[in-house]
Amino acid sequence: MGATGQRGTGWRGQGQGGYFMLAPGALILCSGNGPASLGCFAFRHSRKNELYGVIAAHAATLQNPVSFGDGDVFGVVTEIHKKLDTALVTIGRAVNAALREDNFSVVDFNAPLTGVFPFSDYWKLIEGSRTQRQEQWWANNVRIPVRHSGFKSNRVDPPALQKKGGERGAVAFGTKQANMVTMRERTSRAGDSGGPVFTPAHQLVGFISMGGGKTDSRQTSIVVAERVFAELGLTLATWQNRDAWQATPSPANTGAPASSSSSSSSSSSSSDDDPFSGISLATW
C-alpha cells in the first residue's frame, strides 16, 4: 500500500494494517466524507508556528477533524474555498511539532516538492508571441510533463511502474489559464482527490480535483497551485523553511494525538482488502 510504511522518524498515524506517514499523496479522511489525499503543507507568514494541510474542498467539511482513515486525527478543517476546490486543514500543534524531513517526501516518489510551478510565466510567453498563428501554436503544442501522487493511485500502481516514475502525463495550454486545467495521459482514480500533480523536478503544478469516470480517468481536472497560493496568501511549507511554521511543543504535550475512538471503515479480513472500495465519488 503506497501510503503506508515505517520509513524515517516523521509523524505517523497508527491506522488499520500499519503506520500511515503524513506526507503529500497520503490517504486522509475528513469525518462524513469519502477517502481523499493530502496535497501539500503550506503556511502564511502572518501566522508564525501555524501549518496547514491542503486538501480538496469537496472532500472536506468545515470544523470537522481530519485523520488517516480510521487512524489518528492530525488536524481540523478551518477554511473551505469552493471555487478553488481547496480546503485548509490546520495541523494540530503536537503533530506540527513532531513533523520531520521525511514528512515532506511525496508518497512513492522519495523526494520533496521543490516549489510552486510558475504557470503564469508560460502564459506570458504564449501571449508574447508575435503573431496569432504563433500564439495558437504555443497554446496547442506546449505541454508540461507531470506525475501525480494520490491514495488510490499509490495503491494500484504496481511496484515496477512506481520505480520507473509511473505513467507519464502532461498538462496542456490549449485554453486560457483559469483556476483549473486538464491533465492527460496519466490515470487518476477515485480517492486521489487533492493529491499533488508535479513536474519531474517536483515543482507543484496543482491538485487533483475530478476525473471523467466513476473509478478512473485518463483526463483529470486539476486546480492550478499557483492560483491557490496567490489567492489564499500561502507559501509552500518545506523542511528548509520550518522556522516559519514549526511549533515548539510544550513539555506536557510532546507526543502525537491519541488515536481517534471512532472508525469510519468496516473491519477487513485482510490488510490487502480495500475498506473504501464500495465508495463511489462524483469527483476524485
Side-chain angles (χ1 to χ4, degrees), residues 24-46:
L27 165 68
I28 60 100
L29 189 66
C30 182
S31 300
N33 296 280
S37 305
L38 179 66
C40 68
F41 297 107
F43 68 96
R44 292 185 172 110
H45 289 278
S46 60

Side-chain angles (χ1 to χ4, degrees), residues 109 117 119 143-149 164-173 181-187 196-208 218 220 222:
F109 287 86
F117 184 82
F119 213 90
R143 301 285 187 274
I144 306 172
V146 293
R147 304 286 186 270
H148 81 278
S149 180
K164 295 179 180 179
E167 298 171 300
R168 299 177 183 273
V171 171
F173 286 87
V181 292
T182 302
M183 177 177 71
R184 298 183 175 89
E185 302 161 13
R186 184 172 173 86
T187 303
V197 176
F198 47 92
T199 68
H202 276 232
Q203 285 185 299
L204 180 63
V205 175
F207 308 100
I208 298 287
R218 296 281 288 184
T220 306
I222 68 170

Side-chain angles (χ1 to χ4, degrees), residues 92-124:
R93 189 176 181 85
V95 176
N96 177 326
L99 292 176
R100 297 294 181 265
E101 188 170 7
D102 277 359
N103 292 106
F104 293 86
S105 290
V106 178
V107 173
D108 284 334
F109 287 86
N110 300 318
L113 297 169
T114 59
V116 178
F117 184 82
F119 213 90
S120 58
D121 288 351
Y122 274 70
W123 275 110
K124 290 175 184 176

Side-chain angles (χ1 to χ4, degrees), residues 167-276:
E167 298 171 300
R168 299 177 183 273
V171 171
F173 286 87
T175 58
K176 177 65 179 174
Q177 181 188 8
N179 289 336
M180 289 192 182
V181 292
T182 302
M183 177 177 71
R184 298 183 175 89
E185 302 161 13
R186 184 172 173 86
T187 303
S188 65
R189 299 174 174 89
D192 289 348
S193 285
V197 176
F198 47 92
T199 68
H202 276 232
Q203 285 185 299
L204 180 63
V205 175
F207 308 100
I208 298 287
S209 180
M210 64 186 73
K214 291 184 178 180
T215 57
D216 58 75
S217 177
R218 296 281 288 184
Q219 293 202 44
T220 306
S221 293
I222 68 170
V223 181
V224 177
E226 186 184 45
R227 285 291 182 91
V228 171
F229 279 67
E231 292 199 26
L232 303 187
L234 300 172
T235 297
L236 181 70
T238 66
W239 184 241
Q240 287 67 39
N241 61 25
R242 60 189 179 277
D243 286 347
W245 55 260
Q246 189 154 52
T248 302
S250 63
N253 186 18
T254 57
S259 297
S260 172
S261 60
S262 61
S263 173
S264 59
S265 61
S266 59
S267 176
S268 299
S269 59
S270 166
S271 60
D272 292 330
D273 291 338
D274 182 2
F276 304 120

Side-chain angles (χ1 to χ4, degrees), residues 154-175:
N154 296 340
R155 294 187 62 159
V156 174
D157 286 349
L161 187 60
Q162 292 175 9
K163 288 179 181 178
K164 295 179 180 179
E167 298 171 300
R168 299 177 183 273
V171 171
F173 286 87
T175 58

